[in-house]
Amino acid sequence: MHKPEYDLRDPKLSVTPDGRLMVIIGGSIYKDKKLVARIPQVSFSGDGVSFTEPIPVHIDENAKNGNDWLWRVTWNGTVGYGVNYSLEGDNEARITLVKTTDGVNYQLVTNLEVPDFPNETTVRFLSDKKMLMMVRREKGDRYGYWGVSMPPYKEWSWKKMEMPLGGPDFISLEKDVLVAGSRSYYIPSHHKTVLFTGNEEDNFQESYVLPSGGDTSYPGFLVEGDQLWVSYYSSHETANAAVYFAKLPLSLFMKK
């Protein structure tokens, strides 16, 4: 996918209520190699083969500043939710929860009070409509933040996680089992993409280290039958990062 004058990257797929594939893409604009704006883009497909030309998303004026990244959208019924992070200068950012019904226009739900350069954020839902949120942070101790909220998702309970995050994603397998994936910084010179098992109270612990190294992370998840399918990228075998696909038994993550 290409759009003149834009650096398009980090596409995230979702399925709209009417059954189309939707791709949210970060759209950066550079002049003389200097970042001057970030305008998220969206594209749709009815067949998974042909996609519409990327167009800018329209975010509530109170939820953006022109230097924005709508990192991922998760649908809950007819409403999609995502977290927009807006760069503020070179050393800070703020995040806002936004919602959409068409994938193009996004309204402000609430400002999220997460300190120390919050950015990449994944939103998921439980069957009781509880919204869970995993937030990457780039300043301070850099440990991730874990958020929990009930409708209308304006009031949040936050807990600092026990690890930094990079390209975080997670999926609910059943009420008491969540699987998350992130870049692990445990050995600073040898990053890995690691899967963690936890629950809605956070409580994540390492479950599986995927074959990975170097520039690696940004997993995506899908449950298929009795398997968890995981996509991610890594540069442990090639000079440039390659995309990898793993199939793991769900029993690896379930409580005994």
Side-chain angles (χ1 to χ4, degrees):
M1 194 171 290
H2 171 73
K3 187 171 184 176
E5 300 182 0
Y6 280 83
D7 177 9
L8 301 178
R9 61 180 60 219
D10 279 8
K12 301 292 189 300
L13 289 168
S14 64
V15 179
T16 63
D18 61 5
R20 292 176 298 158
L21 274 178
M22 184 179 90
V23 189
I24 284 288
I25 318 162
S28 300
I29 302 173
Y30 292 87
K31 288 187 178 179
D32 299 324
K33 298 184 179 181
K34 182 179 180 180
L35 179 67
V36 296
R38 296 194 310 179
I39 304 173
Q41 308 288 305
V42 65
S43 173
F44 299 91
S45 174
D47 59 9
V49 177
S50 299
F51 286 81
T52 61
E53 186 74 15
I55 61 173
V57 303
H58 301 290
I59 300 174
D60 190 310
E61 291 294 331
N62 295 316
K64 69 174 184 177
N65 67 3
N67 207 338
D68 305 290
W69 202 309
L70 181 58
W71 203 64
R72 173 181 272 120
V73 173
T74 300
W75 293 88
N76 185 31
T78 59
V79 182
Y81 291 86
V83 171
N84 181 54
Y85 75 89
S86 303
L87 290 180
E88 297 185 330
D90 295 328
N91 296 306
E92 196 49 85
R94 68 183 180 98
I95 57 175
T96 53
L97 178 64
V98 295
K99 65 180 180 179
T100 183
T101 56
D102 61 10
V104 178
N105 299 285
Y106 292 79
Q107 294 79 46
L108 173 66
V109 177
T110 191
N111 294 304
L112 299 167
E113 301 300 325
V114 176
D116 293 328
F117 211 129
N119 49 91
E120 300 169 349
T121 302
T122 291
V123 167
R124 299 295 183 206
F125 293 90
L126 299 182
S127 58
D128 61 1
K129 298 186 179 180
K130 188 175 295 177
M131 186 189 291
L132 307 176
M133 191 177 290
M134 181 180 281
V135 184
R136 177 179 178 176
R137 297 160 67 238
E138 286 303 303
K139 292 177 64 177
D141 59 22
R142 299 178 59 237
Y143 284 10
Y145 259 40
W146 181 255
V148 180
S149 181
M150 292 294 292
Y153 310 122
K154 293 181 179 292
E155 302 294 329
W156 284 83
S157 297
W158 295 104
K159 179 180 180 181
K160 186 185 291 187
M161 302 180 73
E162 296 183 280
M163 57 194 177
L165 301 174
D169 192 13
F170 66 100
I171 188 171
S172 175
L173 301 186
E174 56 184 35
K175 179 172 175 53
D176 295 323
V177 178
L178 303 174
V179 174
S182 173
R183 180 184 300 119
S184 172
Y185 299 88
Y186 181 70
I187 301 177
S189 61
H190 294 83
H191 297 161
K192 299 288 186 181
T193 293
V194 176
L195 304 184
F196 303 84
T197 306
N199 56 33
E200 64 183 77
E201 303 299 327
D202 178 23
N203 297 324
F204 285 101
Q205 57 182 325
E206 292 183 358
S207 293
Y208 194 83
V209 180
L210 291 163
S212 54
D215 185 9
T216 184
S217 188
Y218 293 78
F221 297 112
L222 177 68
V223 172
E224 184 68 20
D226 61 356
Q227 294 181 326
L228 178 65
W229 291 5
V230 186
S231 64
Y232 65 104
Y233 78 83
S234 178
S235 61
H236 66 292
E237 294 182 316
T238 55
N240 295 319
V243 175
Y244 291 82
F245 181 68
K247 296 181 179 181
L248 302 168
L250 292 178
S251 59
L252 181 66
F253 308 100
M254 296 301 187
K255 294 179 179 179
K256 304 298 184 183

